[in-house]
Amino acid sequence: MKDSAVKKIAVLTSGGDAPGMNAALRAVVRTANYYDIHCYGVREGYNGLIHNDFLKMGPRSVKNIINQGGTILRSARSKEFMTKEGRQTAYENCKQLGIEAIVCIGGDGTFTGAKIFNEEFGIKVIGVPGTIDNDIFGTDNTIGYDTALNTAMDAIDKIRDTATSHNRVFFIEVMGRDAGFIALNSGLATGALDILIPEKKDSADDLFANFLKAEKTGKSSSIVVVAEGEKLNNVYELAEKAKEKFPDYDIRVAILGHIQRGGSPSCADRVLASRLGYGAVTGLMEGQNCVMAGMRSNELVFTPIEEAIKKHNEINQDLLLISEILAI
């Protein structure tokens, strides 16, 4: 690795927190230290850039955090940074410290802010995808997705125990905003009768047909996994419609909510975060700018931030078919 032209960098976490953000932060700080690059942490995302909330970080600043969920730098969605004045103040603060590049750990909102900041003021930026939704183009998985998936699976397994004990139908809402990755994979992993996601055209009639099929095959309890961004209806309305159609069913609703965001990151997320944090720093050293570090087919790749924002990971159609075949 050649000597880096970049001598001072900052790192921030922004948007919704995701398990593994701390592991990524640790990797950025320690990789920078290894290559004699000064590293500053920014508290509360882009707000910290505006309010001059920088913290000089070294190897000991990030001890014992690889296993922690959330983010020790804290995160925020900054309305102030959305204004030209806010970004101007952020730039002045970076300039004062001599910061030449920023590693931005977050999702598409974080990357949009980074791209605009780079275009306006020329400070180099590199993105690290940290979001449980797994909806960022340019990486097979985002940091936090695997942990959220396992959290959802564990919760659904527990709900299944009560569903089978009482012959109940549970409608379970999982997170993922406008992406159905958590719903599809956790639904497949837990044997859900049906999985409702924004990426496919769902209908109440298809759902009810599945209930009838399940009845014929002797199923006495069922799990339906619903992505929070499902366009058909929200989870309560779906349960209400099902109750009208099947008045004899004991129907319940469970919303898993923010438990999916928290918790100690899985091994996969810790390794992914470590590789991407390292990749972000070495990418900057090699002259990369306005790109996102990602892993595709187990190789480190850099995708222009514009592409990462505009395009989206696509749902695996095979998984949809498999989930339908195995559900009955």
Side-chain angles (χ1 to χ4, degrees):
M1 186 76 66
K2 61 182 180 178
D3 279 350
S4 174
V6 176
K7 292 297 176 193
K8 271 190 185 179
I9 66 169
V11 56
L12 57 82
T13 52
S14 171
D17 62 302
M21 278 184 163
N22 282 326
L25 168 65
R26 172 181 178 269
V28 169
V29 171
R30 290 192 173 173
T31 304
N33 176 76
Y34 183 83
Y35 290 113
D36 296 318
I37 298 168
H38 295 283
C39 186
Y40 291 84
V42 186
R43 290 191 183 94
E44 294 196 6
Y46 291 120
N47 279 342
L49 289 183
I50 294 167
H51 301 299
N52 210 15
D53 201 351
F54 293 87
L55 168 72
K56 183 80 172 72
M57 299 188 89
R60 300 282 63 78
S61 311
V62 289
K63 66 179 183 181
N64 301 328
I65 68 167
I66 194 169
N67 59 323
Q68 289 181 27
T71 160
I72 63 162
L73 287 178
R74 298 197 301 278
S75 186
R77 289 184 168 91
S78 176
K79 286 188 178 171
E80 227 178 319
F81 194 76
M82 292 176 188
T83 67
K84 184 72 189 275
E85 297 75 25
R87 293 191 295 274
Q88 181 70 49
T89 304
Y91 171 66
E92 296 297 338
N93 290 334
C94 289
K95 198 169 142 190
Q96 204 174 7
L97 272 176
I99 286 164
E100 302 153 90
I102 304 173
V103 178
C104 307
I105 305 169
D108 52 8
T110 303
F111 297 162
T112 301
K115 179 176 172 286
I116 294 167
F117 197 52
N118 171 255
E119 287 167 354
E120 287 179 345
F121 301 105
I123 285 185
K124 290 183 175 180
V125 294
I126 195 157
V128 172
T131 167
I132 66 167
D133 299 346
N134 202 42
D135 60 349
I136 304 285
F137 179 80
T139 187
D140 292 337
N141 288 318
T142 56
I143 296 164
Y145 170 60
D146 184 70
T147 307
L149 207 46
N150 281 291
T151 300
M153 183 184 74
D154 287 344
I156 297 167
D157 281 347
K158 289 177 171 68
I159 291 168
R160 177 178 284 287
D161 290 344
T162 197
T164 52
S165 298
H166 295 276
N167 296 339
R168 282 178 179 153
V169 174
F170 268 89
F171 284 81
I172 303 173
E173 183 187 276
V174 298
M175 290 179 96
R177 206 173 43 175
D178 300 319
F181 293 99
I182 293 175
L184 177 55
N185 285 272
S186 64
L188 177 57
T190 54
L193 173 70
D194 209 339
I195 301 164
L196 306 180
I197 57 174
E199 291 88 346
K200 73 179 172 87
K201 204 171 177 183
D202 295 308
S203 77
D205 289 341
D206 289 342
L207 172 63
F208 299 153
N210 283 339
F211 279 149
L212 292 170
K213 265 192 263 179
E215 255 185 22
K216 281 178 189 166
T217 59
K219 264 199 176 190
S220 57
S221 65
S222 294
I223 299 285
V224 177
V225 176
V226 184
E228 64 181 345
E230 167 57 33
K231 293 176 176 69
L232 178 60
N233 282 115
N234 74 40
V235 69
Y236 288 108
E237 289 166 344
L238 284 166
E240 203 55 49
K241 281 186 176 179
K243 189 70 184 166
E244 286 168 19
K245 184 80 175 171
F246 302 94
D248 295 338
Y249 283 14
D250 186 359
I251 294 172
R252 302 295 167 99
V253 171
I255 295 178
L256 300 189
H258 283 76
I259 65 161
Q260 293 159 93
R261 276 202 191 284
S264 183
S266 65
C267 178
D269 271 331
R270 294 182 201 191
V271 172
L272 176 64
S274 299
R275 293 182 76 180
L276 294 183
Y278 162 84
V281 176
T282 55
L284 286 171
M285 291 171 66
E286 290 161 3
Q288 295 282 358
N289 179 33
C290 216
V291 296
M292 181 196 80
M295 298 300 301
R296 300 192 93 165
S297 303
N298 212 25
E299 294 291 330
L300 177 69
V301 295
F302 296 102
T303 302
I305 278 180
E306 192 167 5
E307 270 190 51
I309 297 164
K310 282 186 178 170
K311 297 181 182 177
H312 285 284
N313 276 344
E314 289 189 4
I315 284 287
N316 185 320
Q317 296 300 315
D318 284 349
L319 286 188
L320 276 173
L321 178 60
I322 292 165
S323 68
E324 286 169 22
I325 291 170
L326 303 186
I328 303 302

